[in-house]
Amino acid sequence: MRWLETPAGRVPQVSSDLRLGDRLGAWKARWGIGRMSYLVPAGLYAVGNPGPDDPVAVTANYKMSYDLVRRALAGRSVWLLVLETHGINVWCAAGKGTFGTEELVRRIWLTGLHQVVRHRLLLLPILGAPGVAAHVVKQGTGFGVRYATLRAADLPEFLDNGMVTTPAMRELTFTLRERLALVPVELVSALPATLAVVAILVVAGMLGGYSLAPAVAYLGGVAAGAAVTPLLLPWLPTRSFAVKGMVAGLAWSLLWYLLAGGWDRTTVLAAFLCLPAVSSFYALNFTGSTPFTSRSGVKKEMRLSLPVMGLAVAAGIICLLAGRFV
Amino acid sequence: MKGFAYLRNVATLELDRGACIGCGRCPEVCPHAVFRLEGGKAALAARDLCMECGACARNCPVGAIRVDAGVGCASGMITEWLRERKIGWSGGGGCS
């Protein structure tokens, strides 16, 4: 570890290169492995060789956030103030308030930032704004807050643009690539409940003479909601995630019907009732991973769709049992 | 945000234009360009795009903005609902 001497003490000097370990760590976090403890110590870091007039960028202590920022700042001299967000990214921590006014003010005093830099300006990520009251930070520390960019990758352009945010730097995106990065963690989150249901379906399938077909059908339903819906999000109909998921689930039901074939009428009915409901449920869960769903909207969707999902599954099970025993 | 919009007429966002001092902070923090400055004061340009993150209200120095802020996350709300009813559940989409 290299250190930079400042009037407030030694500050660790960090590299902008991401090593194999950093990339592997990010990949593991994407799959939910050790994601809740993937963090760096909070405090002040030096990227490059910053002096008292160089800018101060603020980020969270989720290691992936910290890595993104230091990589974006390659070849520049910037102070990096890392807040204690307990390993949570900027956006989620701002929502919880840990990336917040109180922590920012405390961290400024703890790191002795007043002695390290001569100016009184902090650059914050725009998605940190839900947690930070800029005017309160100013009152408490004398440091003004400028919400710089949404993405760390735009920081160099922001700095070169005379620290002015262009509309593009403020515009959220949710590209196929960005959605794809979220799918692993959706699948991993769905895993415990899925394994439990699949175990029951395997046993029920054996007893009922369906072999593994019900378990595979269910897995497809989960995938339709947790993977296919996120990827096809802009192209699935309506604004409702529950409906989008239901459509993906219907498509899967049809596909599985054509692949597996030879079902009696009650099995067909059961599959077309249950699978879209499962897919719809996981699609609704994806609302938490998107950057544009509101709490009021999700509440409304849940109120309308959860009872329908429950009724559909119950009706499907009754159909299936009726077909076997009546 | 191009290509994405959530449900219409659900956002709880309210702006008191009378109290606004036109500091420009709300358009600075809003990731969905809900606000714009009109005649030296903030105006709601696209209320339906609001995701209720609360950044504008938190950063408004005169308290001219009100929004029932929270996270639009179904699994989070289910977890919250179950916890309130003391039903054990380890899920929650990985955001503890």
Side-chain angles (χ1 to χ4, degrees):
Chain A
M1 174 68 78
R2 291 167 57 190
W3 299 85
L4 197 68
E5 289 299 333
T6 78
R10 294 196 311 170
V11 171
Q13 210 167 10
V14 297
S15 151
S16 280
D17 302 325
L18 296 198
R19 303 224 165 92
L20 184 65
D22 300 322
R23 292 176 198 280
L24 188 68
W27 182 84
K28 279 165 66 185
R30 290 288 191 196
W31 282 95
I33 305 165
R35 188 167 70 109
M36 303 314 282
S37 54
Y38 193 50
L39 43 83
V40 293
L44 190 64
Y45 294 82
V47 178
N49 203 16
D53 295 314
D54 282 312
V56 180
V58 182
T59 190
N61 80 331
Y62 182 38
K63 188 166 182 302
M64 217 193 289
S65 311
Y66 157 88
D67 279 351
L68 279 170
V69 177
R70 71 185 170 100
R71 187 180 61 176
L73 294 172
R76 292 169 193 267
S77 290
V78 177
W79 299 102
L80 192 56
L81 185 65
V82 175
L83 303 190
E84 178 58 82
T85 60
H86 310 283
I88 305 290
N89 68 70
V90 169
W91 168 240
C92 294
K96 290 177 209 291
T98 46
F99 188 97
T101 312
E102 207 183 311
E103 162 62 13
L104 178 54
V105 169
R106 185 173 49 226
R107 200 57 55 186
I108 289 168
W109 292 117
L110 280 174
T111 54
L113 193 62
H114 290 89
Q115 285 101 62
V116 179
V117 292
R118 268 198 291 262
H119 64 80
R120 292 292 176 259
L121 182 67
L122 303 171
L123 305 178
L124 263 71
I126 293 177
L127 289 181
V132 178
H135 53 285
V136 180
V137 175
K138 176 93 181 171
Q139 281 162 11
T141 65
F143 275 95
V145 168
R146 192 169 302 169
Y147 294 102
T149 64
L150 273 168
R151 284 167 293 271
D154 286 338
L155 269 174
E157 200 190 332
F158 169 84
L159 294 172
D160 293 341
N161 194 36
M163 291 205 196
V164 174
T165 309
T166 65
M169 295 177 199
R170 219 190 290 287
E171 169 133 27
L172 267 171
T173 57
F174 203 35
T175 61
L176 183 64
R177 200 195 173 103
E178 286 166 329
R179 299 197 301 277
L180 182 64
L182 297 172
V183 167
V185 103
E186 293 295 317
L187 293 174
V188 170
S189 314
L191 202 60
T194 304
L195 285 178
V197 175
V198 164
I200 293 168
L201 289 177
V202 167
V203 174
M206 300 286 186
L207 294 176
Y210 292 101
S211 74
L212 291 177
V216 176
Y218 182 81
L219 283 174
V222 174
V228 175
T229 304
L231 294 178
L232 300 184
L233 199 64
W235 302 291
L236 288 166
T238 80
R239 296 180 173 218
S240 154
F241 279 59
V243 174
K244 286 175 189 282
M246 189 194 72
V247 171
L250 278 172
W252 164 244
S253 309
L254 188 64
L255 183 68
W256 186 232
Y257 171 71
L258 295 175
L259 286 174
W263 299 348
D264 54 55
R265 239 178 267 167
T266 49
T267 312
V268 174
L269 199 56
F272 277 80
L273 281 167
C274 292
L275 299 180
V278 171
S279 170
S280 183
F281 179 77
Y282 282 105
L284 191 55
N285 267 331
F286 187 63
T287 51
S289 300
T290 73
F292 66 97
T293 54
S294 64
R295 192 160 81 138
S296 301
V298 174
K299 252 187 205 166
K300 182 179 175 184
E301 275 214 72
M302 286 172 68
R303 210 168 40 233
L304 293 173
S305 67
L306 286 178
V308 176
M309 290 174 204
L311 285 173
V313 170
I317 292 171
I318 290 168
C319 265
L320 206 59
L321 294 176
R324 301 294 298 172
F325 301 112
V326 178
Chain B
M1 188 175 194
K2 290 184 193 83
F4 298 95
Y6 200 39
L7 308 185
R8 293 184 184 89
N9 299 320
V10 289
T12 53
L13 180 66
E14 284 169 42
L15 167 69
D16 176 2
R17 290 202 82 199
C20 175
I21 52 166
C23 72
R25 201 53 112 161
C26 48
E28 181 187 348
V29 298
C30 179
H32 287 290
V34 168
F35 300 91
R36 67 163 169 247
L37 286 182
E38 251 172 36
K41 281 178 187 278
L44 290 177
R47 197 164 172 275
D48 274 344
L49 296 184
C50 174
M51 63 168 161
E52 300 178 325
C53 71
C56 51
R58 166 97 51 199
N59 280 279
C60 179
V62 291
I65 301 171
R66 284 186 55 181
V67 58
D68 180 14
V71 182
C73 172
S75 66
M77 281 184 223
I78 294 171
T79 307
E80 204 177 296
W81 187 87
L82 293 172
R83 196 179 292 150
E84 276 168 18
R85 279 152 193 79
K86 308 254 193 296
I87 303 169
W89 174 254
S90 60
C95 306
S96 64

